Amino acid sequence: MEQNQTKPTALLLGGGGAKGAFQIGAWRALAEAGMLTDIRAAAGCSVGALNAVLFAIGDWEFAKHMWEQIQPSDLLAKGSDGAFFSRDGLIRLINQLPLEQINQSGIRVHVCVHDIEANQPVYYELNGLPRDSVRTLLLASSAIPHIYAPERYLGRDLMDGSVTPAGDLCIQPVYSQGHREIIAVTLKPNLSLYGGSGVGNGNLIQEYPDCNFTLIKPLRPMGNLLTGTLNFTQDKIKSRMEQGYNDTKAALNGMNGSTPQSKEEINAILTEKMQRLFPNAAVLSGFLREYGSRFAPNVQFPTLGGSVFYDNIFEVDGWRLQQQRTVGMQVHYRFLDANNVRIAWVLQPQQLLDALTDYEAVRELRNR
């Protein structure tokens, strides 16, 4: 995660259905940290498009109230015309939005949809469009394949923009407008700026080397299609807003050098640092050769990969940092190589945090 240094800034909001309540909590935490005052563009797909509009309207309490109105019956009633579910409830919610305020906000709002015939993401700027066009594009961007029917706009059949990783991130329109300071709030816990995390995204640091990214993401999964994306119960919506707030605070604390308190905060800092410092296994291997003596004594031996008793915290080129998940032993971490051989063993996360801090400081001195 890279903190913004210059401005103006663009806000990217990924898709994820009911999980989008996470972004409302993240909005509050980012605002408290003073990171939203220079936002000049907001872009999103699926539920992220709706949240981008809410952000441009600019009233967090209103956005929270809108989410607190949502009931499962609003979006999960039986559909027609080839749709599994009806979105009459979503239309009702969109009709309550003061969409005219988009043009008054000074924020350029973009949505991503997927053109079915062309099989590619397409981006639209909402500012200046008629209200009916904005509503159609919001419905199109949230038309999850096989769940909701596509929307037709300007002679094209359009559906959920998160069909592709590029569409889900929605960076293209803000990048083409010159934004190089990017805050991205994804709903995918495994998304990485460096790619290779099982979500299909490329290495954004390499693709956009002139951008400064701040990546905010959930520190724990929020469920699958049924338990997460389509779970619009109010208790889940409220818990996701709380998670968005808490996970964003934890991530920002890691960026600002605050002392972590919980294992979620510790893991957020470890993930951020390692994603930034280790673009490939060769660099990580060099770090372990140089700093591994700081950790617990280790005999390199093959393991079974840790699928039962360990959680992956970071991965690059098959190398992994894993955390012991057994209660009472969660301060234990280990490094495995691509062959599941344990390369290093860490008994206290602070040892690893200190080593990473020293390694980064030495690297900066060498690069001067």
Side-chain angles (χ1 to χ4, degrees):
M1 192 185 318
E2 289 77 31
Q3 190 171 9
N4 302 321
Q5 300 297 325
T6 59
K7 296 160 184 177
T9 305
L11 177 66
L12 309 182
L13 300 170
K19 301 175 188 178
F22 177 96
Q23 294 170 341
I24 304 303
W27 173 358
R28 177 185 165 203
L30 288 166
E32 289 179 357
M35 297 183 65
L36 299 180
T37 56
D38 294 286
I39 299 293
R40 296 296 178 266
C45 76
S46 193
V47 72
L50 175 63
N51 285 337
V53 168
L54 289 170
F55 180 81
I57 291 172
D59 187 335
W60 182 83
E61 291 290 348
F62 175 77
K64 177 174 177 286
H65 176 68
M66 289 292 296
W67 271 92
E68 289 175 343
Q69 288 188 62
I70 298 175
Q71 298 297 325
S73 58
D74 289 332
L75 294 107
L76 303 180
K78 185 177 179 180
S80 60
D81 298 328
F84 197 82
F85 292 118
S86 167
R87 288 184 296 168
D88 290 343
L90 179 58
I91 293 172
R92 175 181 58 79
L93 292 172
I94 292 175
N95 286 340
Q96 296 180 46
L97 297 178
L99 297 178
E100 66 281 354
Q101 292 185 21
I102 295 176
N103 295 330
Q104 303 167 12
S105 71
I107 294 174
R108 302 176 73 168
V109 182
H110 307 267
V111 301
C112 177
V113 295
H114 191 81
D115 188 309
I116 296 176
E117 182 179 356
N119 192 28
Q120 64 183 18
V122 181
Y123 307 95
Y124 290 94
E125 183 171 340
L126 299 186
N127 304 71
L129 291 181
R131 183 184 184 90
D132 286 347
S133 295
V134 173
R135 185 182 74 169
T136 298
L137 289 169
L138 289 177
L139 290 172
S141 186
S142 61
I144 302 172
H146 312 299
I147 302 295
Y148 299 115
E151 291 289 324
R152 194 158 182 84
Y153 181 69
L154 299 180
R156 311 296 293 184
D157 287 325
L158 308 175
M159 64 180 182
D160 191 333
S162 62
V163 170
T164 64
D168 184 67
L169 188 64
C170 208
I171 189 174
Q172 191 275 334
V174 300
Y175 186 84
S176 66
Q177 291 175 350
H179 289 86
R180 297 297 180 264
E181 310 300 323
I182 308 291
I183 299 175
V185 184
T186 180
L187 303 176
K188 296 177 169 61
N190 292 329
L191 190 142
S192 167
L193 296 178
Y194 298 86
S197 297
V199 293
N201 62 293
N203 188 317
L204 298 172
I205 299 301
Q206 292 181 355
E207 292 179 23
Y208 302 95
D210 53 343
C211 285
N212 293 319
F213 287 97
T214 296
L215 178 63
I216 303 296
K217 61 183 180 180
L219 299 182
R220 62 184 186 277
M222 292 188 290
N224 56 28
L225 177 65
L226 295 178
T227 63
T229 305
L230 298 178
N231 191 339
F232 287 92
T233 57
Q234 271 301 309
D235 62 328
K236 285 294 185 181
I237 286 175
K238 291 177 181 178
S239 71
R240 288 170 191 143
M241 280 195 275
E242 291 176 1
Q243 182 180 350
Y245 179 80
N246 292 329
D247 288 1
T248 302
K249 293 282 284 186
L252 297 180
N253 284 342
M255 263 194 329
N256 296 329
S258 300
T259 301
Q261 299 298 320
S262 67
K263 69 181 182 65
E264 288 82 10
E265 288 179 307
I266 291 171
N267 288 343
I269 297 170
L270 287 173
T271 300
E272 182 275 324
K273 283 182 175 291
M274 296 186 72
Q275 286 179 345
R276 178 158 43 81
L277 295 174
F278 306 127
N280 54 60
V283 179
L284 175 57
S285 176
F287 163 78
L288 292 175
R289 286 195 302 271
E290 187 174 359
Y291 289 85
S293 61
R294 294 191 180 191
F295 310 142
N298 178 67
V299 176
Q300 297 188 10
F301 69 96
T303 74
L304 296 178
S307 59
V308 176
F309 297 108
Y310 290 86
D311 293 315
N312 288 341
I313 304 303
F314 169 77
E315 180 174 356
V316 61
D317 297 339
W319 287 56
R320 281 146 291 155
L321 172 67
Q322 296 185 327
Q323 180 191 27
Q324 168 71 253
R325 68 168 64 136
T326 304
V327 175
M329 299 182 65
Q330 293 174 321
V331 294
H332 294 180
Y333 294 77
R334 69 181 186 179
F335 287 91
L336 302 185
D337 69 11
N339 296 315
N340 291 329
V341 173
R342 191 180 73 186
I343 303 300
W345 183 249
V346 183
L347 298 183
Q348 290 292 335
Q350 193 61 49
Q351 294 175 327
L352 179 54
L353 288 169
D354 291 343
L356 291 170
T357 299
D358 292 349
Y359 171 81
E360 185 173 16
V362 171
R363 190 187 68 165
E364 290 177 357
L365 288 173
R366 289 172 178 171
N367 292 334
R368 286 181 181 176

